Amino acid sequence: MTSCSPSSPSSPASSSPLVLQGFTAPLSLADFKLAAFDMDSTLISIECIDEIAAAAGRKDEVAAITEAAMRGEITDFKDSLRRRLALLRGVDEDALARVLRDRLTFNPGARDLCAALKAAGLTLVLVSGGFTYFTRHVAAELGMDFVRSNELEIVDGRLTGGLVMQEWGDICDGEEKRRMMLACAARIGASPAQCIAVGDGANDLPMMGAAGLSVAYHAKPAVRAQAMIAINDGGLDRLLDVFR
């Protein structure tokens, strides 16, 4: 998908309260115009790159790098992604189809939350350090308006271990997520304060820090600590509990 081009299960009941930091609920959805979402481990239950690596027998090695990057222990996301991609060199592209068919599932409440936000008039943005092969499917299923993610390079039916250069660059890291959210906000006439950003890993912190409302979903400790809302139990639709 292009830089800014358009493109259910509900959560189980939980008695555990949301963790609110820096404000008091309820808020009004009318105060927001845009919601930006991470994909892997946020809207969907898997890290797609780890599942692709399983096809190459290297899931443990790749997953260890993914975990360190999401925790913020590896601070250069671009470097961590290139290291992981190098381990996928030679994987048959059919592995992508198998991951999409057999492994990709939406997190509880993802469909309900996105539907509710769309019904309230919000623009939805998907910003992912993952891959277009999967973001296209997720965006279509959830009604995303704008998408940015990385394009895997495939030659002769196999992954090269590289990415395709796009008009905005080749790797959607934390800073690119922030830029994309703000660019889409400007395009629809919204201020940063009218943006909601939802993520789980360290590379989501730049966009979360720029948004008027930041939401950590089953997130790494450093992300939970910096978010205004932390959803630690239940599904994504628990976010709706803070709005009147």
Side-chain angles (χ1 to χ4, degrees):
M1 293 197 180
T2 56
S3 313
C4 233
S5 334
S7 70
S8 61
S10 57
S11 64
S14 172
S15 59
S16 174
L18 298 174
V19 178
L20 310 180
Q21 300 178 138
F23 72 97
T24 302
L27 301 173
S28 174
L29 265 182
D31 293 333
F32 298 95
K33 292 184 177 181
L34 179 148
F37 291 89
D38 170 52
M39 181 180 72
D40 294 74
S41 297
T42 299
L43 289 172
I44 63 175
S45 63
I46 62 170
E47 293 286 338
C48 291
I49 194 167
D50 296 354
E51 300 303 323
I52 298 169
R58 310 196 78 164
K59 182 173 182 177
D60 289 347
E61 192 173 355
V62 170
I65 301 173
T66 300
E67 178 70 10
M70 293 304 99
R71 285 184 174 274
E73 295 162 5
I74 298 176
T75 57
D76 188 337
F77 177 82
K78 290 184 176 182
D79 176 65
S80 78
L81 183 58
R82 290 189 179 106
R83 286 167 54 190
R84 286 175 284 167
L85 285 170
L87 295 170
L88 302 184
R89 187 179 295 117
V91 172
D92 193 294
E93 67 176 318
D94 287 348
L96 305 180
R98 292 195 298 274
V99 171
L100 181 59
R101 182 188 67 233
D102 301 332
R103 300 294 299 156
L104 190 150
T105 58
F106 288 92
N107 271 327
R111 292 181 186 275
D112 291 340
L113 174 60
C114 289
L117 295 178
K118 291 282 282 188
L122 275 71
T123 293
L124 302 186
V125 182
L126 178 56
V127 278
S128 174
F131 309 118
T132 56
Y133 189 93
F134 305 103
T135 58
R136 289 189 186 105
H137 170 77
V138 170
E141 288 288 312
L142 298 181
M144 295 288 165
D145 298 290
F146 302 112
V147 182
R148 180 158 293 175
S149 58
N150 308 313
E151 180 77 39
L152 288 165
E153 184 179 58
I154 300 172
V155 175
D156 296 329
R158 295 189 177 277
L159 277 61
T160 67
L163 296 170
V164 175
M165 181 64 70
Q166 301 182 68
E167 60 182 19
W168 50 267
D170 63 338
I171 294 181
C172 183
D173 61 356
E175 185 56 29
E176 190 59 40
K177 288 185 176 191
R178 185 190 72 84
R179 281 196 293 266
M180 177 63 171
M181 181 188 75
L182 294 178
C184 291
R187 181 165 174 172
I188 65 169
S191 69
Q194 293 173 307
C195 295
I196 302 169
V198 186
D200 74 300
N203 63 326
D204 297 316
L205 286 172
M207 73 169 180
M208 292 170 68
L213 182 65
S214 57
V215 183
Y217 178 70
H218 291 234
K220 301 299 183 282
V223 181
R224 292 199 304 267
Q226 296 183 55
M228 297 172 69
I229 297 175
I231 303 172
N232 300 324
D233 297 288
L236 277 161
D237 54 341
R238 295 202 66 210
L239 177 59
L240 298 173
D241 294 348
V242 305
F243 295 107
R244 61 173 181 267

